Amino acid sequence: MSPSKSQAMLIDGKAIAQEITENLTRQVLQLKQNNLTPGLAVVLVGEDPASQVYVRNKGKMAEKIGLHSVQYSLPASTREADILARIEALNEDPSIHGILVQLPLPDHIDSAKVLRLIRPEKDVDGFHPVNVGLLTTGLRDQALIPCTPAGCIILAKRHRGEDLSGLEAVIIGRSNIVGKPIAQLLLQENCTITIVHSRTKNLEQHIARADILVACLGRARFVRGDWIKPGATIIDVGINRMDAPEKGPGKTRLVGDVDFDSALPVAGAITPVPGGVGPMTIAMLMQNVVTAAQRLSRR
Ligand code: GUN
């Protein structure tokens, strides 16, 4: 018999997300008994198939936990002014506590302008500059925090425990919706943070230092096992669809930004794709809607 090799712990985002949503279901029931039904409005513009799936899943989960949930599916040709008018109406609608505009928007729409119009208290994606500013200045208790980053922190703590102080965290990717807010959250957890990106020199040297590695660059199986520090916590945000001829003609599979098979014997813990970060994003969105409803009702 060959000696058994160590394998990374799998961080089961699906199970953790389920714990969170079950807890939220109880909270929503209580709020409803006090005449507060948290409401989420999702705006989808165009027919991007991936966005349609994400929006459908968000709507389904909202209904499952008992939220009031509405969806506006607008054609790709919708004028910017009409989207802005829809946001203004939702800002004023007392039955709506969370507004989410699915990204990306069609090219003729100024996304930043649309996101800026959402009332910050209803910005359950946490993309409004007010929420970005509150997070960056350490006032996260008053902010709404972006959902995927918030989920990543919970997943990292499942392996590392509550105190992440002093750990080296390396984030691959610098997007406004994932890389930058994750860096802010990890900084507030007292990690030493490095953000690496497409122009970074000696990428592998940075990655090799990471106690916590967050891959959010959007390239299938980019990070290889032999780049990783033994025992590291790997949070894989990537969702990439690849051809999978071994499953049959025309079949595809979802893979992360980390090469899972080569990472597994090296890492201390890793999030699978699917079933890692993805379910947590939706759970944190539901959490944000409940938080927004509670805050708005206290005003
Ligand atoms: N598109 C990809 N990720 C996201 C997200 O977290 N929120 C929104 N609104 N759109 C997205």
Side-chain angles (χ1 to χ4, degrees):
M1 221 163 75
S2 60
S4 64
K5 283 191 187 157
S6 65
Q7 277 226 144
M9 158 192 164
L10 278 188
I11 308 176
D12 187 348
K14 198 171 162 195
I16 300 166
Q18 197 177 332
E19 283 169 31
I20 293 169
T21 51
E22 279 169 5
N23 193 12
L24 284 172
T25 306
R26 285 189 286 274
Q27 276 186 52
V28 170
L29 199 61
Q30 265 186 359
L31 291 173
K32 282 175 155 174
Q33 282 163 359
N34 294 322
N35 290 322
L36 176 61
T37 302
L40 168 67
V42 176
V43 179
L44 172 66
V45 187
E47 283 86 39
D48 177 60
S51 291
Q52 284 174 332
V53 173
Y54 293 144
V55 166
R56 199 178 321 123
N57 289 342
K58 290 169 186 174
K60 269 197 219 159
M61 184 58 78
E63 281 171 22
K64 189 169 167 198
I65 71 161
L67 304 185
H68 165 57
S69 166
V70 291
Q71 187 187 317
Y72 297 91
S73 295
L74 310 174
S77 57
T78 306
R79 292 183 314 147
E80 185 180 278
D82 293 334
I83 298 172
L84 297 174
R86 171 59 55 202
I87 304 281
E88 277 178 332
L90 292 169
N91 279 342
E92 298 303 321
D93 183 341
S95 75
I96 295 298
H97 307 93
I99 303 169
L100 181 147
V101 178
Q102 187 65 27
L103 301 175
L105 288 169
D107 288 345
H108 67 281
I109 313 249
D110 180 346
S111 300
K113 191 170 171 186
V114 171
L115 296 180
R116 271 201 311 274
L117 191 64
I118 298 173
R119 206 177 142 187
E121 295 86 350
K122 294 191 177 188
D123 167 39
V124 284
D125 255 330
F127 295 162
H128 190 286
V130 165
N131 283 315
V132 176
L134 287 168
L135 171 60
T136 306
T137 53
L139 299 172
R140 62 171 292 182
D141 290 350
Q142 294 166 45
L144 288 163
I145 305 296
C147 307
T148 299
C152 290
I153 301 295
I154 293 175
L155 295 176
K157 287 184 172 179
R158 283 291 169 124
H159 180 221
R160 292 282 172 178
E162 282 303 303
D163 186 7
L164 306 179
S165 297
L167 294 175
E168 289 276 350
V170 176
I171 301 114
I172 316 174
R174 54 175 158 176
S175 70
N176 288 334
I177 64 179
V178 187
K180 287 181 201 162
I182 285 185
Q184 285 298 339
L185 288 171
L186 287 167
L187 183 58
Q188 281 173 28
E189 298 288 345
N190 302 311
C191 291
T192 302
I193 56 166
T194 305
I195 305 179
V196 300
H197 48 77
S198 53
R199 303 287 177 91
T200 298
K201 296 196 176 84
N202 303 322
L203 188 79
E204 292 169 40
Q205 281 177 24
H206 291 289
I207 291 174
R209 274 203 320 275
D211 299 310
I212 298 175
L213 182 67
V214 184
C216 49
L217 70 159
R219 282 179 62 180
R221 295 174 172 161
F222 177 79
V223 178
R224 298 198 340 229
D226 57 359
W227 298 356
I228 294 172
K229 177 174 173 177
T233 311
I234 311 295
I235 308 294
D236 191 349
V237 182
I239 303 177
N240 310 286
R241 194 165 282 286
M242 281 186 92
D243 289 337
E246 73 281 5
K247 286 170 68 183
K251 295 283 186 192
T252 60
R253 71 166 70 241
L254 291 179
V255 301
D257 289 351
V258 177
D259 179 33
F260 187 83
D261 292 344
S262 66
L264 201 59
V266 187
I270 186 166
T271 61
V273 177
V277 173
M280 289 299 287
T281 296
I282 297 191
M284 299 324 286
L285 173 66
M286 300 302 128
Q287 174 80 69
N288 273 352
V289 179
V290 172
T291 300
Q294 287 171 320
R295 288 182 188 161
L296 285 162
S297 74
R298 282 192 218 111
R299 288 178 153 249

